[in-house]
Amino acid sequence: MTSPVPTVPAGATGTRGGGVPVRRGRERQPVSAWLLAPALILFGGFALVPLGGAVALSFTSWNGLGTPAWLGLDNWGAVLTDDVTWLTLGVTLKVMVGTWLVQTPLSLLLGVYLAPRGRWRAWMAAVYFVALLLSSSAVALVFKNLLDPNFGLAGPSGPAFLQHPWLGDPNTVLAAVILIIAWHFVPLHTLLYQAGARQIPGSLYEAAQLDGAGTVRRFFSITLPQLRYTIVTSSTLMLVGSLTYFDLVFVLTAGGPGYATRLLPLHMYLTGFTATEMGRASAIATILAVVGLCLSLGLTRLSGFSRMQSQQEGL
């Protein structure tokens, strides 16, 4: 003879064994502070200490040799009143927005397309992700030679629509740089979207298909909503990461022609190592760190990133 088993609603409090209360559903378990210690030590040693050194140097006059001399706020006044600083900040914002607009739709579509299992899709993914393994400097050298107006594809022997000094024309150089950056980093974000798309329960698509939903409707009604947290993660990496573009742009254009591609990180490098004004370069570095921190915190708060929950089936 069996007795009926009482059902307990999800989230209700039950008992275990001799009456020990058990909370059904999700509970946040406390995390030991010792588990955070390695990350905190690395972050402090490789991020906070150098940032503190840059802030201290921004109040001095130093050419990289000898002893820094205290200047007070002179470097900050010179940097903040310099038109080149605001010009480079504007170029940086253009590249940030441009790379997001180009990379996000491409990465999303490619990731969703490569998500289903299959030999052909796996082969395409393996070939496509090769670009992710190349260094930024190597990518810049390849495209610099390809777009050379004398002997590259942009020269007289190349296709007619490419015969243009793409990297020497101030009107086209920024678009060319944005597209080259996208070619290099789209595989990384495609990988994120591919992993996210594979976590979407197949039963959602089966139910939508039974209801007569087509491919486009399933994409906008199921895939996009299910990938919203992946979109937030990818966008944060793109926007904050765009503040670190240096080597690729330096090899491609060195910031030119004129100031057309002089990003804030490149302006910091040229101020410190070409003009040997380490104090002003440190002030620019501090501004760069503050902009990145504010951008990251703003995206986290506005997008609800900190309130992420699992979207797994049945949870």
Side-chain angles (χ1 to χ4, degrees), residues 199-290:
Q199 301 304 314
I200 300 176
S203 58
L204 296 179
Y205 292 107
E206 294 170 2
Q209 200 166 6
L210 290 175
D211 289 340
T215 303
V216 176
R217 180 64 183 275
R218 293 199 299 271
F219 176 78
F220 284 102
S221 299
I222 298 175
T223 306
L224 271 186
Q226 291 289 317
L227 288 177
R228 59 184 181 277
Y229 292 141
T230 308
I231 294 173
V232 171
T233 303
S234 173
S235 298
T236 303
L237 290 175
M238 281 184 201
L239 296 175
V240 177
S242 63
L243 295 174
T244 64
Y245 295 150
F246 166 73
D247 45 358
L248 190 144
V249 179
F250 181 70
V251 174
L252 268 179
T253 65
Y259 295 106
T261 57
R262 188 155 173 167
L263 305 179
L264 202 54
L266 187 57
H267 182 50
M268 174 192 67
Y269 171 81
L270 294 176
T271 301
F273 293 95
T274 301
T276 63
E277 296 181 355
M278 293 295 180
R280 290 191 183 187
S282 299
I284 298 171
T286 305
I287 293 174
L288 197 59
V290 170

Side-chain angles (χ1 to χ4, degrees), residues 42-67:
L42 289 175
F43 183 74
F46 291 98
L48 295 182
V49 171
L51 180 60
V55 172
L57 278 179
S58 69
F59 297 104
T60 66
S61 175
W62 189 44
N63 61 4
L65 300 172
T67 303

